[in-house]
Amino acid sequence: MAIMKRITILSILIFFTLIKGYSQYYKPEEHPKPSLKDKLYYGGNFSLSFGYTTFILINPMIGYRITNRLSAGLNLSYIYMRYRLSNLGQPYTYSSNIYGGGPFSRFFLTDWLFVHGEYNLYNGKVMYRNNNNPSEIRTTREWVSIPLAGAGIFYRFSERGGFMLTALYNFNYKQDKLPLFGSPLVVRIGFTF
């Protein structure tokens, strides 16, 4: 749980740093102060894949607009994953209900181009091969961290809402104990409103 403490402390420090920066940036005499409702936005991602691998992702999020270009928030994730593999010639089916989430931040470079970073913790079944008997696979539930960063494009269909296409890099791809992503590149299609 030491990693959870570090993440919590880091999230709190980032939040207060951003609020401090916003308070210096915001000049009330120039702009009327927006309400909390105007600063919050909602959205998320979802994904479905069936066949050799079944992958279902539901990823809602809530964000807070710190400035017109900078926002931060939290996302939650539920993933169902099932696939078949061969273990020394023996068929084996892996399936797991995976849940988790974490903080994210997003900065718009232009009206439609943004950079995005997030740090996720997922809890799911991790597979281990028995060293004494390689044909035996055991699973245990563990927390796994997955930091992602990249860029995306945003297509607005209203003042607050739009669709986004994001390409992120998984920095823990080689050490990833949960087989969530087939490559270090993670591509998402999502929306906000």
Side-chain angles (χ1 to χ4, degrees):
M1 288 316 253
I3 196 164
M4 289 296 290
K5 288 181 183 177
R6 290 181 193 152
I7 292 169
T8 303
I9 291 169
L10 181 62
S11 298
I12 291 170
L13 289 173
I14 289 171
F15 179 75
F16 283 115
T17 302
L18 294 173
I19 294 298
K20 175 75 173 158
Y22 175 71
S23 65
Q24 292 174 351
Y25 169 78
Y26 180 74
K27 296 184 173 42
E29 64 276 0
E30 294 177 10
H31 306 283
K33 187 173 180 180
S35 69
L36 178 62
K37 181 182 173 187
D38 293 334
K39 300 282 235 169
L40 291 177
Y41 64 93
Y42 309 92
N45 305 289
F46 61 92
S47 179
L48 298 171
S49 173
F50 298 101
Y52 181 75
T53 299
T54 300
F55 184 85
I56 301 169
L57 165 72
I58 301 169
N59 181 231
M61 59 176 243
I62 182 170
Y64 179 79
R65 287 183 182 89
I66 299 163
T67 68
N68 287 338
R69 294 188 180 266
L70 179 66
S71 66
L74 292 172
N75 71 66
L76 298 174
S77 295
Y78 169 77
I79 301 166
Y80 173 75
M81 184 172 215
R82 182 176 56 82
Y83 66 91
R84 293 181 292 279
L85 57 96
S86 178
N87 180 38
L88 298 175
Q90 302 294 319
Y92 179 80
T93 300
Y94 169 87
S95 68
S96 183
N97 290 294
I98 302 164
Y99 56 87
F104 72 88
S105 63
R106 184 176 295 151
F107 182 78
F108 277 86
L109 302 169
T110 68
D111 285 342
W112 57 273
L113 179 66
F114 63 89
V115 291
H116 179 96
E118 60 187 67
Y119 187 86
N120 295 301
L121 282 175
Y122 292 112
N123 185 284
K125 287 184 190 175
V126 176
M127 292 186 294
Y128 291 101
R129 193 178 302 273
N130 186 336
N131 291 336
N132 297 328
N133 182 5
S135 65
E136 180 184 325
I137 294 177
R138 68 178 178 85
T139 59
T140 61
R141 286 198 77 85
E142 292 184 21
W143 286 97
V144 176
S145 64
I146 300 180
L148 302 168
I153 56 175
F154 189 76
Y155 174 76
R156 294 184 193 280
F157 57 75
S158 72
E159 183 180 324
R160 296 173 49 97
F163 292 104
M164 57 196 148
L165 175 64
T166 311
L168 303 170
Y169 182 79
N170 179 357
F171 289 96
N172 276 0
Y173 177 70
K174 295 207 181 225
Q175 297 86 22
D176 193 357
K177 296 179 188 176
L178 283 173
L180 294 179
F181 308 112
S183 79
L185 181 64
V186 179
V187 178
R188 294 183 182 159
I189 296 174
F191 61 92
T192 64
F193 57 92

